[in-house]
Amino acid sequence: MKILVIALTSLISWLPYQVSAQQEKSPPKVQIEVIVFQSLALRGWTEEYWPDTLELPSTENATQFNAADGYATLLKEASFTLKEEVSKMTTDKGYDVLAHFAWQQPALDREKAIPILIDQFVQQRRLESSILFGTIRMYQERFSHIQVNLELDRQIPQAVLERFTAHQQLDIDWITEGWRFQINESRRVRYGEIHYLDHPIFGILIKVDRVR
């Protein structure tokens, strides 16, 4: 009986260490929140030269939100933390919010992290004049990193059409209705901080929080 009591006592004292070791092996879980917006200022169209051909963002090995692999879980609006920032991005201040979404995923290393497909599924208003497409990938090494490769296909505003085609040295009769712009950037991020990826035509706000 005494031997049984000793064995049970040893088992009980060992279990918490075993659970703790298993928790240490499991990767942290993070929440990633993203705001994508377009600038309504017209000067960006004519102040820089925009290439007429761009390589499409690669979606190789990308996964979708709520896919069967369970990698990225799209969250409901109640979980958003950047509502105040969105409320300030109004059209009278020159902003047009295209998408505001958040998800949770494991924070894996560079080799194991999976890109998340971003498409019309997350766009708040499904406008023909502005279409999002690309990927966002978060990975964890010594620091957290975000890789963004997003394309915005946007209709050329009539107010700048003539100046835009002249600046691009194109015949207005041959111009397409839309033009493609890209943000392809990698950024080291800190948990809890808002990071801004800048572009004359559109921009991205990203915040990463550790939730486990």
Side-chain angles (χ1 to χ4, degrees):
M1 184 67 178
K2 185 177 180 180
I3 296 176
L4 179 59
V5 171
I6 294 173
L8 287 173
T9 303
S10 300
L11 177 62
I12 292 171
S13 62
W14 172 81
L15 280 174
Y17 295 104
Q18 181 67 13
V19 172
S20 177
Q22 290 176 351
Q23 289 175 341
E24 289 178 0
K25 291 179 182 178
S26 63
K29 179 172 282 189
V30 294
Q31 176 169 323
I32 303 168
E33 188 166 354
V34 175
I35 300 170
V36 183
F37 61 93
Q38 59 187 6
S39 171
L40 299 180
L42 299 178
R43 61 181 181 273
W45 289 88
T46 57
E47 289 185 354
E48 296 192 37
Y49 176 80
W50 302 108
D52 57 355
T53 57
L54 286 173
E55 184 178 347
L56 281 171
S58 172
T59 60
E60 184 179 2
N61 300 322
T63 187
Q64 294 180 311
F65 292 116
N66 304 332
D69 58 18
Y71 184 79
T73 304
L74 192 66
L75 301 176
K76 295 182 179 180
E77 187 176 346
S79 301
F80 294 178
T81 64
L82 299 180
K83 295 178 183 178
E84 183 177 350
E85 283 70 20
V86 167
S87 68
K88 297 176 182 178
M89 302 177 72
T90 55
T91 54
D92 61 318
K93 294 182 179 179
Y95 301 106
D96 181 23
V97 175
L98 297 174
H100 181 196
F101 54 98
W103 73 94
Q104 290 187 359
Q105 67 165 76
L108 303 180
D109 62 32
R110 185 198 294 260
E111 298 300 321
K112 297 178 181 177
I114 304 175
I116 309 298
L117 178 65
I118 308 299
D119 56 14
Q120 288 290 84
F121 179 68
V122 300
Q123 193 158 334
Q124 289 178 341
R125 292 174 302 158
R126 299 175 183 273
L127 303 177
E128 294 181 0
S129 59
S130 303
I131 301 174
L132 286 173
F133 179 74
T135 61
I136 297 177
R137 185 170 80 119
M138 181 271 172
Y139 65 89
Q140 179 76 46
E141 294 188 329
R142 183 179 178 186
F143 299 99
S144 301
H145 295 262
I146 284 283
Q147 289 182 327
V148 174
N149 191 357
L150 271 186
E151 174 180 299
L152 176 67
D153 188 344
R154 183 173 171 188
Q155 185 173 331
I156 303 172
Q158 286 293 322
V160 297
L161 183 57
E162 289 188 8
R163 283 188 295 156
F164 178 74
T165 52
H167 184 71
Q168 295 285 131
Q169 299 181 356
L170 296 171
D171 188 330
I172 195 171
D173 294 328
W174 292 94
I175 193 72
T176 59
E177 293 184 356
W179 210 261
R180 295 163 54 201
F181 304 93
Q182 279 187 3
I183 292 180
N184 189 357
E185 185 174 340
S186 180
R187 178 78 60 88
R188 193 179 82 180
V189 298
R190 294 179 182 271
Y191 290 145
E193 292 185 358
I194 301 174
H195 296 267
Y196 174 40
L197 279 63
D198 192 15
H199 188 283
I201 302 298
F202 74 115
I204 302 170
L205 296 180
I206 294 183
K207 182 168 175 271
V208 181
D209 291 299
R210 182 165 175 169
V211 295
R212 188 188 70 195

